[in-house]
Amino acid sequence: MTTETPRPQGESLQVFKGTFIHATDTSPMETLAPRILGVNGMGKIVFIETVDKEEELSQTWHFQKKNIRVLQQREEFFIPGLVDTHIHASQYPNMGTCLDLPLLEWLVEYTFPVESKFKDLKFAEDTYTKVVKRTLRNGTTTACYFATIHTESTLKLCSIINKLGQRAFVGKVCMDLNNLFPTYKEQLCESVSETRRFVTELTGRMYPLVKPIVTPRFVPSCSSELLQQLGSYANTEDLHIQSHISESRAEVELVKSLFPDCKNYTDVYDKHSLLNDKTIMAHGVYLSNEELKVFHQKGAAISHCPNSNISLCSGLFDARNALNHNVKVGLGTDVSGGYSPSILHAMRTAIDTTKIHGFQTSNYERLSYQEVFKLATLGGCQALGLDHVTGNFEVGKDFDAILVNTSVPNSPFDIFPNDTQEDIFQKFLNLGDDRNMVEVYVAGKKVVPFPNA
Ligand code: GUN
Ligand code: ZN
């Protein structure tokens, strides 16, 4: 179906005409050119049709030709908004620095200290405003955030996201163990009660696009009791869950020593009721095939964070193997383990990673750039359970989109008369940045450029 039953739209209908590039369930990348697309006052796509239907559509939907936003041919196109399935908003001050230690040492030396600062609400407000603006400018229409252990500043993050119009999951971090940095942790009962308070308060605010996610930091930071209580709470309230899994070898060994009775890292989460079809786990670099099968059975997803995996020298995630096990995979920046806030950059690093697997393993089936584009858009939405709401340009979905202009005066690359539409798209993917993302929409609302900016 490409058209919904029309209702009079009046002024609130937005109509765009030009090229739309997206992924679908059956195709990693599809170029629709040219098409005419309508977005209603609720931000939903109500039609996407070939341009020969323009006259008919204008009568049915009551819009005038002069109100159609016509994109430049070739140079301009729409892609779906990018989805960052794993980002630590609270690590934004460190972004681009502190990349010289492996994970466990990096946490103690750099990360717990910066997160501790978010006890200060003013610092939280300033920093969170910066990170949400930065990700929006980079085309992240949906983000799955870790905040810190501090409930009030995590709620502040939610209000900033709501105000700026991003779609997000936000987690108050839970951790009751931290021997190496003991000033940054909670008591077990406090961690659970503050999670409840956070979820209740956020839900009560009825922000349309900002939802809570239960967030045990990772196994070494959480007692078995905390994991159990968070699992039980998430299941009772039907909430999403996020954490980290099998990111580095040292971490996997540590988890083995902490939970000798569990079969593996995945089993620890599973035994604590934290692995289901609303769970997204970051990294998974060292997951065995047996563990991937459990991910598939439970419907749990993985956030592939290639920049972080290389920056912290953690290892290389094998996205092809996860996909072959029918595990849902999205992309994450993992700021500040990853140094870039851009999912476009994550796509490039995912492509580099799959190429490295290709030259390390004979007959390895590398991910194509089209498949990586899908991971960054529809795949991310599938991983977060949002694919029925957004992720591509299908009728009935929210219009989360980036208007890409490859010929802006300060574009970081050049296009040539012989370049095909596909060449231009690849140049954007490999060389483009926020300068090319001239407008960003979430649920039909233009969120970039920022209002009053
Ligand atoms: N594992 C536990 N906490 C973290 C974190 O903040 N970043 C990363 N990359 N891994 C983690
Ligand atoms: Zn992380």
Side-chain angles (χ1 to χ4, degrees):
M1 185 179 76
T2 52
T3 305
E4 237 189 23
T5 314
R7 269 170 276 120
Q9 298 295 317
E11 294 294 294
S12 60
L13 190 80
Q14 299 179 79
V15 183
F16 303 96
K17 187 160 95 174
T19 299
F20 296 82
I21 303 175
H22 73 168
T24 66
D25 281 338
T26 50
S27 167
M29 195 176 118
E30 203 172 60
T31 301
L32 307 169
R35 291 290 190 280
I36 181 159
L37 177 145
V39 180
N40 71 10
M42 310 286 284
K44 295 202 180 299
I45 301 167
V46 287
F47 59 80
I48 177 162
E49 297 278 0
T50 49
V51 290
D52 55 308
K53 305 269 171 40
E54 181 179 323
E55 187 54 41
E56 198 184 311
L57 285 165
S58 74
Q59 298 197 0
T60 320
W61 291 92
H62 314 285
F63 61 85
Q64 294 180 309
K65 202 175 179 65
K66 67 174 173 41
N67 292 329
I68 301 175
R69 172 75 182 275
V70 183
L71 309 194
Q72 292 172 53
Q73 265 183 28
R74 267 169 43 91
E75 289 103 315
E76 281 193 311
F77 51 87
F78 270 111
I79 61 169
L82 301 174
V83 181
D84 188 343
T85 57
H86 185 83
I87 172 165
H88 297 259
S90 53
Q91 296 171 17
Y92 187 66
N94 283 359
M95 189 177 78
T97 68
C98 307
L99 299 169
D100 56 345
L101 289 175
L103 174 67
L104 300 175
E105 291 82 355
W106 173 86
L107 284 170
V108 176
E109 189 65 27
Y110 305 121
T111 305
F112 297 145
V114 76
E115 290 192 20
S116 301
K117 293 189 188 175
F118 287 76
K119 194 174 181 335
D120 175 351
L121 258 187
K122 179 76 181 86
F123 177 76
E125 181 168 10
D126 289 349
T127 310
Y128 285 151
T129 302
K130 288 191 172 85
V131 65
V132 176
K133 284 189 163 180
R134 179 67 60 195
T135 56
L136 276 173
R137 263 193 230 114
N138 278 281
T140 299
T141 51
T142 299
C144 190
Y145 287 111
F146 274 60
T148 61
I149 63 173
H150 313 99
T151 307
E152 287 308 318
S153 66
T154 306
L155 286 165
K156 180 59 80 178
L157 172 59
C158 298
S159 81
I160 291 164
I161 296 167
N162 177 60
K163 194 167 105 206
L164 292 169
Q166 195 172 46
R167 188 187 301 280
F169 285 104
V170 178
K172 184 209 88 69
V173 172
C174 295
M175 49 194 285
D176 64 341
L177 302 177
N178 198 350
N179 285 342
L180 297 174
F181 199 89
T183 52
Y184 188 57
K185 70 170 181 187
E186 314 155 282
Q187 298 300 313
L188 161 68
C189 47
E190 178 195 8
S191 188
V192 178
S193 64
E194 285 298 288
T195 295
R196 288 175 179 275
R197 183 164 83 83
F198 168 68
V199 171
T200 309
E201 174 69 28
L202 176 55
T203 315
R205 291 184 186 185
M206 314 268 250
Y207 295 150
L209 303 175
V210 186
K211 304 293 165 204
I213 182 163
V214 174
T215 305
R217 179 169 210 119
F218 73 153
V219 167
S221 299
C222 301
S223 63
S224 179
E225 292 78 0
L226 178 58
L227 293 173
Q228 192 60 56
Q229 291 192 31
L230 292 175
S232 152
Y233 176 60
N235 283 291
T236 312
E237 300 295 326
D238 200 23
L239 295 165
H240 284 74
I241 298 166
Q242 65 177 345
S243 192
H244 299 88
I245 194 166
S246 287
E247 178 177 359
S248 80
R249 285 205 171 92
E251 175 209 11
V252 174
E253 287 309 310
L254 177 58
V255 170
K256 239 187 226 165
S257 72
L258 293 169
F259 287 88
D261 296 340
C262 288
K263 267 191 276 181
N264 48 46
Y265 205 151
T266 302
D267 197 36
V268 180
Y269 285 127
D270 194 19
K271 287 232 160 74
H272 293 89
S273 314
L274 286 160
L275 211 64
N276 60 43
D277 62 357
K278 292 194 153 182
T279 302
I280 181 151
M281 290 285 167
H283 306 298
V285 173
Y286 296 100
L287 291 176
S288 63
N289 288 344
E290 191 189 344
E291 290 177 279
L292 288 172
K293 281 182 198 151
V294 176
F295 265 73
H296 170 61
Q297 280 161 10
K298 300 281 175 181
I302 296 175
S303 173
H304 174 25
C305 305
N307 184 326
S308 168
N309 294 157
I310 294 169
S311 292
L312 300 184
C313 300
S314 302
L316 299 173
F317 175 66
D318 188 344
R320 172 63 71 208
N321 193 39
L323 292 172
N324 283 345
H325 281 82
N326 287 315
V327 175
K328 293 177 281 184
V329 178
L331 292 185
T333 59
D334 194 26
V335 166
S336 66
Y339 59 77
S340 170
S342 156
I343 284 293
L344 204 53
H345 189 281
M347 290 168 72
R348 289 171 201 152
T349 323
I351 292 169
D352 291 347
T353 299
T354 198
K355 286 180 177 168
I356 296 169
H357 280 300
F359 55 70
Q360 284 182 344
T361 310
S362 56
N363 299 323
Y364 185 85
E365 194 194 343
R366 296 193 311 263
L367 300 191
S368 63
Y369 78 83
Q370 292 93 335
E371 287 177 289
V372 171
F373 169 70
K374 180 169 181 174
L375 298 189
T377 55
L378 185 61
C381 288
Q382 288 166 342
L384 294 173
L386 289 172
D387 51 309
H388 61 295
V389 179
T390 187
N392 62 12
F393 298 121
E394 284 170 359
V395 167
K397 290 196 182 180
D398 283 10
F399 184 67
D400 289 11
I402 304 170
L403 174 54
V404 176
N405 186 334
T406 53
S407 62
V408 284
N410 56 350
S411 179
F413 59 93
D414 295 299
I415 56 173
F416 293 85
N418 284 343
D419 285 341
T420 62
Q421 182 73 64
E422 194 174 339
D423 294 331
I424 294 171
F425 178 78
Q426 282 198 63
K427 286 187 177 187
F428 166 67
L429 199 165
N430 287 310
L431 298 161
D433 62 26
D434 54 341
R435 287 169 287 190
N436 301 108
M437 300 183 183
V438 291
E439 292 175 12
V440 179
Y441 293 81
V442 180
K445 184 171 165 227
K446 198 194 289 182
V447 294
V448 173
F450 305 126
N452 317 318

